[in-house]
Amino acid sequence: MSNYKRVLVAIDINAEYKSIIKKALSVCESPDKLSLAYIPMPTVYIQPYLYGMEYNAIDDSGRLKLAREELETIAEVSGISKENVHLRLGDAADEIKEIANEIDAELIVLGTHGRSGIKVLLGSTANAVLHGVKQDVLAVRIHDDS
């Protein structure tokens, strides 16, 4: 596999991500050409599932602050520059596509567990990213140890 000059790695900081970053580093020309992204869902999307909690019980700005700290720590441990860290609130697939275009990525790397109903082979986010992008997409299979 040829080395890519600019790679976007989309991870979920609350799930297995080390194997995804490792795979991305193996195909990227250099760690300084690798960008790391995490896109949490806005609270408004999950609020209906928080029955009984006050509407403002979960604060997106607080969640984003904690997520940025975690993402920057992951980047540092992985040898990725903090300038190449992207954190956005929104629909993961849409934001991944947008970031990839903004940074002129040649490759998007993301994880997939393949447990989401009809999308058994990929996963809903990986499947959504795959459609309509000009970049190559590498879906790294995440194996459950359970």
Side-chain angles (χ1 to χ4, degrees):
M1 187 178 287
S2 64
N3 285 346
Y4 289 88
K5 292 184 176 95
R6 194 170 310 272
V7 176
L8 174 63
V9 184
I11 64 168
D12 179 349
I13 63 173
N14 300 303
E16 164 54 39
Y17 58 79
K18 291 178 184 175
S19 61
I20 301 164
I21 295 173
K22 182 178 178 183
K23 182 65 78 171
L25 287 167
S26 76
V27 298
C28 190
E29 190 175 85
S30 164
D32 63 321
K33 300 291 185 181
L34 195 139
S35 292
L36 195 58
Y38 172 56
I39 295 89
M41 240 189 242
T43 305
V44 70
Y45 288 12
I46 58 174
Q47 194 68 37
Y49 302 102
L50 304 175
Y51 182 75
M53 292 182 71
E54 290 184 33
Y55 182 74
N56 294 330
I58 298 177
D59 174 31
D60 281 335
S61 62
R63 290 175 55 223
L64 287 175
K65 182 178 184 243
L66 292 173
R68 175 157 302 281
E69 291 170 4
E70 180 67 19
L71 194 59
E72 288 180 353
T73 298
I74 293 167
E76 184 178 351
V77 168
S78 303
I80 301 166
S81 167
K82 285 183 183 179
E83 288 77 33
N84 292 347
V85 168
H86 304 273
L87 175 68
R88 299 205 181 151
L89 199 59
D91 176 78
D94 291 343
E95 295 297 333
I96 290 166
K97 292 174 188 180
E98 190 172 311
I99 294 167
N101 289 332
E102 288 172 6
I103 67 168
D104 294 321
E106 298 174 334
L107 175 70
I108 300 169
V109 180
L110 41 73
T112 182
H113 48 71
R115 291 181 305 215
S116 52
I118 325 180
K119 298 169 182 78
V120 173
L121 295 177
L122 281 176
S124 56
T125 300
N127 190 44
V129 168
L130 188 59
H131 296 287
V133 292
K134 62 182 179 183
Q135 296 85 357
D136 291 342
V137 177
L138 174 59
V140 179
R141 176 96 172 138
I142 299 172
H143 298 284
D144 293 327
D145 293 333
S146 50

